[in-house]
Amino acid sequence: MKGVDEIPGQPLIHRAQWLMPVCAAPVANGAVFTSGGRVVFAGAYASVKKECPAGTRVIDHGRAALFPALVNSHTHLELSGLRGKIAFPQPGFREWIRLLFDLRAQTASEAPERALRLGEKESFASGTGLCGDITNGGAARRSDWGGVERLIFLELLGFNLDSLTSSMPPGLLLDPSGLIPAPHSVYSVSAPIISECKEWTRGRGLPLTMHVAEHVDEIEFLQTGKGFCRELLESLGRFPPGWKPPGKTPVEYLDWLGALDANTMLVHAVHLSESDWALAAKRNCSVVFCPRSNSNLGAGRARIEKALSLGLNCSLATDSLASNTDLDLFAEAAHVFASHPAIDPEKILEMITVNPARSLGRAGDFGCIAPGATANMLAVALGAGANESSLAQSLIESGKKGAWKWVNNQRA
Ligand SMILES: [Zn+2]
């Protein structure tokens, strides 16, 4: 791949057979005027050309669609060194988590920066411009490479701890570093920490992201206080004696803690009841589905159609290379296109662009080709005869094949 913009930020018109802005209808013979690393305007080539200063250089991408850089709202790039070390499918979540613990112990001496760089490069090579990246502390610093923008969530653990401060990894601070606290899950973090994290993120207008109802053991634990999650906590010495199960579903429990609103990202959301879905919709939560990870871990099949029908802001994410084979959102989209045939391909494309950008609080910057957005875009090759009705499907198929290139990205 070669970049086409030799002088960073110079005014350019990018033209292609189709413009797929995502937040607006596709435009045949479309174009985007970019300057200073931002989109200035986008639309039909004739009207863009008319608006631009005379002599603005035109780059014609030919039989392709201009498409926004992808947004992966849930991944753990610091686990990228584990690629290929866990065979899929795993029999279940509990078998997988034991393997993960063993592997993380074996690789504890390896520099997390190396794994982070691997993950960043793979994300970039898959067309991703922005990640919601979870770290346990090893990849808490911003990388000097910068090919992919990261919103860095610091994952907190501590079922036996009672404050956000006590669950912080040693040597890390939140505000000065731009880290966003993210409780891991309802079975690994105590109620006071979840409440405090929500208060912290709410006060700063930032998202609260959390693994929710990923597997059935989590449901059992909150209902009865027993099962695999209890055994796991006891084996780690983190089960506080006297703890009583709330007798609620994970979604009910989070609502009871005041943690659900439009800035809450429910990640996985595989095991939700009808009333959980209604509650998530009432609170206007975002939902982040990781269907290939769920399938690889035998965690179940998420009801993506249900969430979309309720109008929830839904995204697709890859999760990490410890539970997925790659970090390619086009591959995630192709998986959903094949396995959830009732979902329109246009909706699938929204789930890897504008919807995750919205859930990360970065709509306007990422996920759409519109004035003010980043000029880093993709030109996705189209098959012969691609028309408006087949455009979305064609984009997913070409994207999965890797038939695209970066536009305007200095790293390309
Ligand atoms: Zn995860």
Side-chain angles (χ1 to χ4, degrees), residues 74-76 79 96 134 155 184 210-211 214 267-268 290 293 318-320 323:
H74 183 82
T75 186
H76 308 243
L79 299 183
W96 173 79
I134 314 273
E155 184 168 82
H184 170 262
M210 200 163 166
H211 301 88
E214 181 178 5
V267 180
H268 291 297
C290 306
S293 166
T318 61
D319 216 333
S320 75
S323 67

Side-chain angles (χ1 to χ4, degrees), residues 349-365:
L349 291 178
E350 289 172 5
M351 288 195 278
I352 57 173
T353 52
V354 63
N355 295 358
R358 194 180 296 133
S359 68
L360 294 173
R362 297 297 299 274
D365 225 7

Side-chain angles (χ1 to χ4, degrees), residues 342-403:
I343 304 177
D344 289 340
E346 291 80 7
K347 289 278 165 209
I348 297 176
L349 291 178
E350 289 172 5
M351 288 195 278
I352 57 173
T353 52
V354 63
N355 295 358
R358 194 180 296 133
S359 68
L360 294 173
R362 297 297 299 274
D365 225 7
F366 279 91
C368 284
I369 299 178
T374 174
N376 290 345
M377 302 174 285
L378 310 179
V380 185
L382 297 173
N387 54 40
E388 189 163 355
S389 64
S390 65
L391 191 56
Q393 181 177 343
S394 186
L395 267 157
I396 294 170
E397 286 165 355
S398 293
K400 193 193 172 189
K401 280 188 225 151

Side-chain angles (χ1 to χ4, degrees), residues 103-186:
L103 282 166
R104 290 200 83 174
Q106 286 165 27
T107 55
S109 59
E110 290 175 16
E113 289 79 11
R114 198 183 143 267
L116 170 64
R117 183 60 56 90
L118 278 173
E120 284 183 311
K121 292 211 159 161
E122 166 143 357
S123 300
F124 178 78
S126 311
T128 298
L130 173 68
C131 284
D133 187 27
I134 314 273
T135 177
N136 289 105
R141 276 192 307 167
R142 229 151 275 284
S143 149
D144 53 7
W145 181 61
V148 178
E149 206 172 318
R150 292 160 68 224
L151 201 66
I152 310 176
F153 294 103
L154 180 65
E155 184 168 82
L156 301 176
L157 296 162
F159 196 74
N160 55 336
L161 303 174
D162 60 4
S163 70
L164 198 165
T165 311
S166 64
S167 64
M168 285 289 293
L172 288 178
L173 293 168
L174 292 171
D175 270 324
S177 52
L179 294 168
I180 304 170
H184 170 262
S185 70
V186 294

